[in-house]
Amino acid sequence: MRIAITHISEYRYDGPAGSAVQALRLTPAPVKGQTLVSWKVEAPGIDSACSYTDGFGNLVHLVSPPADSTVVRIAATGVVETTDTGGVSGWTGEAVAAGAFLRSTPMTTADTAIEAMAEAVRSDDRLATLHALMDAVSEHVAYEPGSTHAQTTAAAAFDAKMGVCQDHAHIFIAASRFLRIPARYVTGYLLLEDGAEAPAHHAWAEAYVDDLGWVGFDAANCLCPTDRYVRLGAGLDAASAAPIRGVRRMTGEESLTVDVDVQAVGQGQSQSQSQSGGSQSQQ
Amino acid sequence: MLKTQAYTSDGQSPFFDEMLRPDGTPRPAYAEILKWLSGQSRASFKAKQEEADAIFRRLGITFAVYGAEEANERVIPFDMIPRIISAAEWRFLERGIEQRVRSLNAFLYDIYHRQEIVRAGKIPSSMVNENPAFLPEMMGFDPPGNVYAHIIGVDLVRTGENGFFVLEDNLRTPSGVSYMLENREAMMHLFPELFAAHRVAPVERYPELLRQTLESMAPRECDSDPTIAVLTPGVFNSAYFEHAFLADQMGVELVQGSDLIIEDGALYMRTIRGKERLHVLYRRLDDAFLDPLNFRPDSLLGVPGLFDLYRAGKVTIVNAPGTGIADDKAVYAYVPEIVSFYTGEKPILDNVQTFRCSIDDERGHVLDKLDELVVKEVHGSGGYGMLIGPHASKKERADFAEKIRANPANYIAQPTLSLSTCPAFCPEGVAPRHVDLRPFVLVGDRVRVTPGGLTRVAMKKGSLVVNSSQGGGTKDTWVLED
């Protein structure tokens, strides 16, 4: 399947942006099941940005917009060719060893409730365990936009029994790591079925299975990724994999608008959506 | 004449004395010092001590004591009797230290790349990959020269004629080198005649060698003379004096995070001459605080994006982020295996015997011998979360045993060490006091171990605690040349 993506983030400040830096993880890695046909990242200062591939396999651009900017617009656009691999990303070639994805982070620490859920699905068959875990998370946690925020922990969302894809992924990761199965957070895009209620800017989890490598589990949709999924970046949790992470040394209000448009090329299928809200920046 | 009876009458001491043999005769390296000591009068020595104190106050060498309300800064006690290391002893130490720091740098390269040592089953994956001191963000990066730990202060203790042990490797941001330099300067001023009577290996070139080391670590793309700065957390840091001192001695800027900016994919410092590009940052700031974009977001001390610039090869951070994994207390027990794995040689310097509570047999031994051992938390420092078995009450030991059983991997245990003694000028005359040694090592295009280092001395009789926060002092440390 050929999927065209436009992902625009617009930061608006009520005064000059001042000294700011943003790390962009906005370029899909060439993993099994996806090939970049074209891809472009546009941002103020991108031409002089420094870039490198981080330990998790993400291409990073560090941009510092001009200090007098009042609007910073960051756009990632391109076309990706996908095939259905049954959710298998395989051996993705990043530097970080699988064993490091057993580390827990503040957002992905299992509490006793998550541990109990994990215990209930534990079996000798790792793949079967992970599928059962995906079912259990999906069943326990309702999809409820606005019920959680960017810093909500896995334990808090699990306790509230609701959340968004970030929370489903964090809970899945926390439980998987508790079972000593390496797991990580993946960001990406989803080509929605007509009428589906979910954001096109998506996140899910990947877990490590010996004979397969990394396998995706989307507990929010209770599904392993198909050819409708484009995988953008990976990390230990949402903070570590964030497509845009910024720090600004300036007080003052700012707002962020994100527009994600995902469509199948040549099949007349598309959806787009916007969301507004606070930003990941801090002073 | 100075009394040394405190010494000679103490012939039954169970501790190794570096000046006198058990029969009271001097070891050769101390022969001149003993003669000199017996020629000094108490009054003249006291006068010299006052002169020394005045020198240090003038130099402004102070250290901050956390929690001490009466004074934010104190002058660290200085003992005027030099600690002597013979040429042969030093050759042994130098070889051992060099082998160890090369091995630890090889270990750092390996665990941040293919992790061969884990694959070979020499060290558990979890001890590396799930260790808080391990930074997965560092994986796959080749730092200039493949060096991670450039500036190291190895803590050594001596327990016998040939008994030298490494207590800690200190690969993060070791301090104390300014005391080593100032102690030497003060001694040359106070006792020039002693230097005439001994061939003492110089330490004065340290700042110059530090600068060379930093320059040799410039990013590959830097084709001019690299610009260096020392990054300090600020005046409230207990080692601020040293940060300022080293910057001054090297002739480079001392900066704080707020002096640095990132523009167009490069690091700049604001100076009175305008913006200046920086290539090498000697940071005296912990990993967590280096970069709020990549590490602790609440850090106001660091520079957002600094780590990204480092990975992109635009600036070199010294020591590299993530070196703490190699001086982690749990990993410490594996250092002998680490040395053998990367060098194929037997370790020259021994570790202090360390029991890992994560291992059933070793934990059993620890629980049996709690009254003899020192138990440490794996990630603790500064004496917190520690049990000193011989000094603890029965109840304290029982409580600690529970903690060990509940979370064994969090604890290691070591025997109480019989630190060697050296002569020190004390109220009762010249008396033996316990010492340790921190030699300073620079790793750049080659390994350089400054001869000597910082000797810390417990000024309280019988005390084995040499920390300056516990009333410990320092001594000038002399390595004799053949």
Side-chain angles (χ1 to χ4, degrees):
Chain A
M1 191 175 269
R2 201 163 261 229
I3 298 174
I5 294 153
T6 309
H7 177 181
I8 296 166
S9 307
E10 206 167 81
Y11 295 83
R12 289 180 175 276
Y13 308 112
D14 64 359
S19 169
V21 290
Q22 286 160 320
L24 313 180
R25 287 171 167 78
L26 277 171
T27 308
V31 299
K32 187 172 174 171
Q34 68 181 31
T35 316
L36 297 195
V37 177
S38 64
W39 198 265
K40 192 168 60 173
V41 179
E42 292 164 289
I46 192 87
D47 294 333
S48 58
C50 73
S51 69
Y52 67 98
T53 301
D54 73 11
F56 303 104
N58 308 305
L59 179 63
V60 183
H61 293 93
L62 186 79
V63 293
S64 36
D68 57 0
S69 314
T70 52
V71 178
V72 173
R73 183 177 181 274
I74 298 166
T77 49
V79 175
V80 181
E81 179 79 43
T82 62
T83 55
D84 194 339
T85 62
V88 177
S89 297
W91 286 274
T92 41
E94 68 284 330
V96 170
F101 292 101
L102 290 167
R103 299 168 76 83
S104 76
T105 65
M107 280 175 159
T108 58
T109 303
D111 63 355
T112 51
I114 293 176
E115 287 175 8
M117 171 189 62
E119 282 298 350
V121 300
R122 188 197 284 274
S123 74
D124 292 340
D125 181 340
R126 186 174 276 199
L127 200 55
T129 303
L130 292 165
H131 277 282
L133 180 60
M134 178 167 72
D135 293 345
V137 175
S138 177
E139 196 170 304
H140 184 88
V141 183
Y143 177 72
E144 193 67 59
S147 61
T148 54
H149 53 84
Q151 276 79 39
T152 301
T153 62
F158 192 77
D159 185 53
K161 297 188 179 178
M162 53 185 154
V164 295
C165 57
Q166 171 176 315
D167 306 299
H168 288 94
H170 278 162
I171 294 165
F172 182 94
I173 292 164
S176 176
R177 289 178 186 163
F178 169 73
L179 294 171
R180 304 296 297 162
I181 303 172
R184 66 192 186 193
Y185 190 91
V186 175
T187 63
Y189 306 102
L190 175 56
L191 178 65
L192 298 170
E193 306 284 352
D194 285 341
E197 253 186 74
H201 184 198
H202 197 44
W204 58 94
E206 281 181 348
Y208 190 77
V209 180
D210 273 341
D211 298 328
L212 296 171
W214 292 96
V215 182
F217 292 90
D218 177 5
N221 291 304
C222 203
L223 187 70
C224 287
T226 64
D227 56 356
R228 306 179 73 87
Y229 286 67
V230 173
R231 186 183 177 283
L232 182 60
L236 291 170
D237 57 19
S240 135
I244 302 176
R245 198 154 78 198
V247 172
R248 193 163 70 97
R249 275 182 187 160
M250 191 71 106
T251 53
E253 291 297 307
E254 65 179 65
S255 64
L256 167 66
T257 313
V258 181
D259 277 296
V260 179
D261 182 72
V262 180
Q263 30 182 303
V265 176
Q267 292 174 30
Q269 217 181 18
S270 95
Q271 67 272 308
S272 85
Q273 68 187 85
S274 329
Q275 59 189 82
S276 317
S279 75
Q280 297 128 314
S281 295
Q282 52 180 88
Q283 59 181 38
Chain B
M1 184 175 148
L2 271 172
K3 279 195 287 185
T4 50
Q5 275 88 338
Y7 240 100
T8 43
S9 65
D10 211 17
Q12 299 307 308
S13 167
F15 301 105
F16 178 82
D17 188 73
E18 298 191 7
M19 180 167 76
L20 297 184
R21 297 194 183 91
D23 66 6
T25 60
R27 300 179 195 280
Y30 273 93
E32 282 294 323
I33 290 292
L34 190 63
K35 245 192 276 171
W36 168 74
L37 278 176
S38 46
Q40 300 285 318
S41 75
R42 191 171 173 77
S44 75
F45 226 64
K46 271 197 106 147
K48 285 285 187 190
Q49 184 74 59
E50 276 159 26
E51 197 180 336
D53 292 346
I55 291 174
F56 284 107
R57 268 198 301 276
R58 196 168 63 240
L59 292 169
I61 291 209
T62 57
F63 69 102
V65 181
Y66 294 112
E69 280 176 23
E70 70 280 13
N72 237 344
E73 293 185 326
R74 288 185 202 158
V75 174
I76 195 166
F78 173 68
D79 182 73
M80 294 182 297
I81 306 173
R83 193 244 188 109
I84 318 268
I85 297 169
S86 74
E89 285 166 351
W90 183 251
R91 275 193 295 272
F92 168 78
L93 290 179
E94 195 178 26
R95 277 198 308 127
I97 291 167
E98 176 161 350
Q99 180 196 51
R100 195 153 166 128
V101 303
R102 282 187 189 281
S103 302
L104 290 171
N105 268 303
F107 171 67
L108 285 163
Y109 182 85
D110 183 30
I111 59 162
Y112 287 124
H113 289 82
R114 287 183 46 80
Q115 302 196 337
E116 299 289 357
I117 195 164
V118 174
R119 291 166 198 244
K122 301 285 182 195
I123 184 167
S125 170
S126 60
M127 183 153 296
V128 174
N129 285 307
E130 294 169 58
N131 195 312
F134 176 75
L135 286 185
E137 292 83 356
M138 278 294 288
M139 284 201 78
F141 176 63
D142 295 338
N146 292 339
V147 180
Y148 291 78
H150 313 80
I151 296 151
I152 302 162
V154 185
D155 280 347
L156 295 171
V157 295
R158 186 173 195 180
T159 59
E161 183 82 53
N162 299 307
F164 288 96
F165 297 91
V166 178
L167 189 56
E168 281 178 17
D169 290 291
N170 297 314
L171 303 169
R172 303 176 200 210
T173 54
S175 58
V177 78
S178 55
Y179 297 117
M180 172 188 84
L181 294 166
E182 296 290 26
N183 287 354
R184 176 61 51 88
E185 204 181 321
M187 283 298 283
M188 291 178 85
H189 176 82
L190 291 166
F191 303 110
E193 72 280 9
L194 270 185
F195 287 89
H198 293 87
R199 292 192 56 199
V200 181
V203 297
E204 298 83 340
R205 286 190 67 211
Y206 179 86
E208 181 191 333
L209 295 174
L210 173 61
R211 192 186 163 120
Q212 279 176 23
T213 300
L214 294 170
E215 281 174 345
S216 72
M217 290 294 121
R220 290 172 191 92
E221 67 163 38
C222 172
D223 49 15
S224 56
D225 278 347
T227 306
I228 297 165
V230 177
L231 175 64
T232 177
V235 292
F236 298 109
N237 186 273
S238 61
Y240 179 77
F241 167 82
E242 180 160 299
H243 309 158
F245 174 87
L246 289 173
D248 180 58
Q249 293 278 308
M250 287 193 287
V252 306
E253 295 287 334
L254 177 69
V255 296
Q256 298 189 32
S258 54
D259 299 323
L260 304 179
I261 45 170
I262 289 173
E263 271 180 29
D264 300 332
L267 183 67
Y268 295 88
M269 62 178 165
R270 299 187 180 96
T271 72
I272 46 168
R273 299 174 299 281
K275 267 184 349 188
E276 196 175 340
R277 169 102 195 246
L278 268 182
H279 301 96
V280 182
L281 205 51
Y282 175 25
R283 52 86 177 226
R284 296 291 297 259
L285 194 59
D286 290 345
D287 286 354
F289 296 97
L290 263 185
D291 174 355
L293 183 65
N294 285 284
F295 305 117
R296 269 180 70 153
D298 58 343
S299 169
L300 297 174
L301 303 172
V303 187
L306 178 62
F307 184 74
D308 297 286
L309 289 193
Y310 174 59
R311 281 221 51 157
K314 302 292 180 180
V315 65
T316 304
I317 301 172
V318 172
N319 290 347
T323 54
I325 179 69
D327 73 6
D328 176 78
K329 290 196 184 76
V331 171
Y332 168 86
Y334 292 85
V335 173
E337 283 164 71
I338 286 171
V339 170
S340 307
F341 187 77
Y342 297 106
T343 64
E345 300 165 5
K346 238 175 82 75
I348 297 167
L349 281 174
D350 285 323
N351 260 10
V352 174
Q353 189 182 25
T354 300
F355 302 101
R356 293 163 278 194
C357 296
S358 56
I359 296 170
D360 290 345
D361 287 355
E362 301 189 15
R363 181 174 62 256
H365 176 83
V366 171
L367 292 171
D368 285 348
K369 305 270 177 185
L370 267 189
D371 56 333
E372 295 171 18
L373 298 170
V374 175
V375 188
K376 296 177 180 172
E377 252 179 52
V378 165
H379 303 298
S381 70
Y384 296 104
M386 208 165 126
L387 177 86
I388 301 174
H391 298 160
S393 70
K394 240 185 166 149
K395 166 135 181 24
E396 284 168 331
R397 288 200 294 266
D399 290 349
F400 219 87
E402 278 314 303
K403 288 207 259 182
I404 295 171
R405 286 193 193 94
N407 187 7
N410 198 37
Y411 298 96
I412 55 147
Q414 294 172 335
T416 324
L417 293 166
S418 306
L419 301 189
S420 60
T421 55
C422 284
F425 182 53
C426 303
E428 69 263 39
V430 174
R433 289 291 182 267
H434 294 289
V435 292
D436 76 353
L437 177 65
R438 175 178 288 186
F440 295 96
V441 190
L442 295 170
V443 186
D445 45 356
R446 44 173 291 212
V447 177
R448 297 180 172 97
V449 190
T450 308
L454 181 68
T455 291
R456 295 189 299 177
V457 52
M459 296 304 290
K460 262 185 267 170
K461 187 175 183 183
S463 170
L464 290 161
V465 184
V466 297
N467 300 52
S468 52
S469 56
Q470 309 290 320
T474 68
K475 283 171 164 293
D476 191 15
T477 308
W478 292 7
V479 169
L480 299 186
E481 295 180 319
D482 282 331

